[in-house]
Structure formats: C-alpha cells, structure tokens
Amino acid sequence: MRSHTLAVLPGDGVGPEVTGAALTVLDAAQDRFGFGTERTEIPLGADHYLATGELLPEDTVTALGDHDAILFGAIGSPRVTPGILERGIILALRGAMRQAINLRPVRLYPGVPTPIAGLTPERCDLVIVRENTEGAYVAQGSRVHPGTPAWTAVQESVNTWYAVERAVDFAYRLARVRRGRLTLCHKTNVLVEAGKLWTAVMETVGERYPDVETDYVHVDAMCMHLPVSPERFDVVVTDNLFGDIVTDLGAVLQGGLGVAASGNLNIEGNGTSMFEPIHGSAPDIAGRGWANPAGACLSLALLLGHLGEGEAAAAVEAATAAVLAELPALAGADMGASTDELGKRIARALTSGETGSGPVPPLEGSLMGQLAQVMAGSG
Ligand code: IPM
Ligand code: MG
C-alpha cells in the first residue's frame, strides 16, 4: 500500500480543532482511495513555548525535513507578545523548509454565501501566488531612540531576482495549465526599485511562456477589482506582504476566512511543503467547536494533491464543498454543527461518494490536477 509520512502541527487556539476534523477526513480518504499515512504530531505553539522557551528547535526542523508533508493548524496566542510565535515559528518554518510559494486559491463554491452581492461561483475561480520568503517579511530593520519622540524605525523589504523569478516562473506554469492569464500585482508607481525588478522578471520569464497573456494591476486597485470583477483574474502573482493582504480579501469573496486554504510549497525538492488554513488561532472562539473546518479540509485537499493522491484530493475538495453548501452560517454558534461534527459529515460524504451535489468531479480540470501538472515539472 502507498504510504506517506505526515507531520501534524495542530498549534494553538482553534488549530487543534480544525486539524482534528481534517484528520478525520483524511482517515476516510485513506479508506476510500487505499493509501496510508504515518503521522507524527509535533507540539509547536504557545503552550510549548511558554513551557520550554522553544520556538522552532533545530531537531524539529530536521524531523520536519524528513516528512513528505506538513499539516498545520494555526499559531498565535494573546499570552505571547505579538510577533514572537508568528516570526519564530510560522515564518521560520517557511524559510527553513524553503517554501518558496504560498499558494492561495480564491474559489467560491456553489451554495456558499458570500458577502459580495451578485457574485457567482463561475465568476470567482482564481489562484494567488504569493512569494513566501522575502519582501517585507525578511525581518530586517533597525531603530534609533526607541521610546522617545525621536523614535525612528526603518523596515526594509528585500527582493532578490532568484526568489522573484522562482515565484513568477511557478505562476506562469500554473497559468499555462489554467486559463492562460497571469496578472502581476504590485505598487510599481511608488516602490519603483522593487517594482522594476518584478516587472523585469515578468518580462524575462514571460519569454518562455509566449502563450500566457499577462497584465499588471496596482495592489490598491486590486482591492477594488477583486470584489467587483474577480472573473478578470486567473493567476495573480505578488510579493509577500501584498499577497498577505489581498488573500484576506480573497477569503471574503469565498465566504470568509474559515473557508480559505493555502499551501506553502517547496518547489525545488529541498524541504517539506506545508498546508494550512488561512485563518489564525481565533482564541476568542477556541474550544467551543465554532470554527469552520473547511479551510483545514481544503488545505488537506491541496496536501493530498501535492503527495500525488490526486483522486483523493479532488474528492476531499468536493465533499468539503458539498457540506459547506448546506451550512446555515459559515462559523460560530449558528453554524448548525460543531467543528468535529462537520469533520465527520465531510468524511461521510467522502466515504459514500455522495457529495450532495453530484458525483466526485474528475481530477482533470480541478486545481489539484493543475497543481499535479505544475509540480511534475518542478524540483
Ligand atoms: C498568513 C498570516 C501570517 C502571514 C502571519 C500569522 C505571520 O497572516 O499566513 O497570511 O502574515 O503570513
Ligand atoms: Mg495573512
């Protein structure tokens, strides 16, 4: 039987709840599609940090590197100064595992309520490719005279040809197997140095993809176009900070943060890819079963696609979408079922092959299928 090694990092707040639901769905996927996983749970996050002082120990990095994929819940806690866990664990992991790409699909599933009036699933199917290792996230910076009126802070953004080309090339390849359209999102009219580099990379790499049509949108204008006319976008490539911001907006189109999934992809074969819902640890609702596990389950679908379990990936996506469509509300006490119950419901939909909205869709034409095609040409 095929088997994959999986590191599970439930993390803080609602992280363990949504991860638990995703693992129930994974059990069902394994039964139906005949593969196994060997899972190692790794206790990173606020509790571990407060108890041991450790954020991301070296031996954990080594252990993670030996796994086929990482399933991540959420990290962050009001008990720890903002920035310590985020930078010390999430960003450190993305860097240590050389997760060059943060892949964030923005897809409205049929029957899912969106706050954007008149938006339909046919009009909302794009993928944001966020450069995942540098930009303003390099944690460089300096200060003078802190705590005085002369307090001065400098926070640089770093853009290397190497990392930008890696992200842009991936985005072109993804666009090529999708609708053949790639948009660069930046702020070239103000951040002119970074902007020139990104634009030059787009042009240079674009010579290898003459069949992909390209355009450019400023990040502020993107915040207007995305809710009003998402259909004009297929693949969007952008820097780390802009990508962080526009993907939260993208999540709103999809129905909210509880639905949005992501994959932190290593595309060079020198580290382990990690899959996580976009939402955070939501400490205010932790422990109540109010978190929607859809984001975690759709992240699991991306993980399965990445492991080459394409059929299982497409089935998990379809089962999650089917259960999502039945919910009276997308999160909180009104969701109609707890996080745990929803995990079981998605697992049942998967096991029976009945998705409520028809048979499980074919891999071909699905995002998982597209990713498999792109990843086959990577590394
Ligand atoms: C995300 C989050 C993280 C980010 C934080 C928690 C460091 O907002 O994954 O989008 O900024 O990348
Ligand atoms: Mg974010």
Side-chain angles (χ1 to χ4, degrees):
M1 186 167 74
R2 297 184 308 281
S3 187
H4 311 282
T5 54
L6 196 65
V8 181
L9 273 58
D12 302 319
V14 299
E17 298 168 54
V18 297
T19 306
L23 291 177
T24 303
V25 175
L26 177 58
D27 289 337
Q30 292 181 190
D31 287 349
R32 178 162 174 205
F33 294 98
F35 64 96
T37 53
E38 209 178 292
R39 305 173 195 174
T40 321
E41 186 169 321
I42 298 181
L44 291 181
D47 287 337
H48 184 75
Y49 171 67
L50 291 171
T52 64
E54 286 177 349
L55 289 163
L56 181 63
E58 207 37 57
D59 52 345
T60 303
V61 173
T62 310
L64 290 171
D66 288 336
H67 285 78
D68 296 328
I70 304 168
L71 183 67
F72 185 98
I75 277 185
S77 166
R79 295 173 292 152
V80 181
T81 309
I84 292 185
L85 301 173
E86 292 82 351
R87 280 170 51 166
I89 301 178
I90 304 178
L91 302 188
L93 260 175
R94 291 175 183 167
M97 291 297 133
R98 301 182 184 86
Q99 294 160 352
I101 306 296
N102 198 322
L103 184 89
R104 299 191 158 184
V106 178
R107 178 150 185 216
L108 176 62
Y109 291 101
V112 175
T114 168
I116 311 296
L119 186 58
T120 54
E122 306 71 57
R123 293 179 46 221
C124 185
D125 179 11
L126 61 132
V127 182
I128 299 181
V129 173
R130 166 183 175 191
E131 197 289 315
N132 206 28
T133 60
E134 48 180 46
Y137 278 61
V138 288
Q140 295 302 308
S142 58
R143 61 191 155 165
V144 282
H145 312 307
T148 75
W151 190 346
T152 306
V154 177
Q155 187 95 54
E156 299 110 345
S157 162
V158 172
N159 299 263
T160 66
W161 185 278
Y162 167 71
V164 175
E165 183 183 32
R166 196 168 56 169
V168 166
D169 184 73
F170 179 89
Y172 267 110
R173 283 190 280 143
L174 186 59
R176 174 176 266 178
V177 299
R178 286 176 53 89
R179 300 193 298 274
R181 194 175 170 83
L182 176 63
T183 304
L184 171 63
C185 168
H186 205 276
K187 187 74 186 174
T188 56
N189 54 345
V190 175
L191 304 182
V192 290
E193 293 309 325
K196 273 182 197 147
L197 187 144
W198 276 82
T199 307
V201 170
M202 276 292 283
E203 284 167 10
T204 307
V205 176
E207 286 168 17
R208 303 201 286 268
Y209 303 90
D211 48 327
V212 175
E213 198 187 321
T214 59
D215 69 348
Y216 169 80
V217 173
H218 287 319
V219 63
D220 48 349
M222 178 58 87
C223 293
M224 174 185 63
H225 293 307
L226 204 52
V228 174
S229 46
E231 65 275 12
R232 68 181 269 178
F233 303 109
D234 177 14
V235 178
V236 175
V237 65
T238 190
D239 92 344
N240 210 341
L241 180 59
F242 297 148
D244 179 43
I245 297 167
V246 299
T247 55
D248 266 27
L249 179 59
V252 170
L253 273 64
Q254 293 170 270
L257 277 176
V259 181
S262 76
N264 296 272
L265 306 181
N266 177 302
I267 55 172
E268 294 161 316
N270 54 4
T272 309
S273 297
M274 174 168 90
F275 299 82
E276 53 169 324
I278 290 193
H279 64 72
S281 59
D284 50 327
I285 62 162
R288 306 172 95 148
W290 287 2
N292 192 327
C297 293
L298 293 169
S299 301
L300 172 70
L302 290 171
L303 181 152
L304 290 170
H306 176 73
L307 290 178
E309 298 293 346
E311 277 196 305
V316 168
E317 183 189 28
T320 307
V323 169
L324 258 183
E326 295 162 1
L327 297 187
L330 287 181
D334 307 331
M335 201 161 59
S338 68
T339 312
D340 200 43
E341 282 160 9
L342 288 178
K344 292 187 181 130
R345 216 186 271 180
I346 297 170
R348 271 201 305 276
L350 186 74
T351 307
S352 65
E354 304 271 333
T355 64
S357 56
V360 172
L363 178 58
E364 205 183 315
S366 74
L367 176 61
M368 317 306 154
Q370 292 158 357
L371 268 185
Q373 266 177 278
V374 173
M375 294 305 291
S378 291

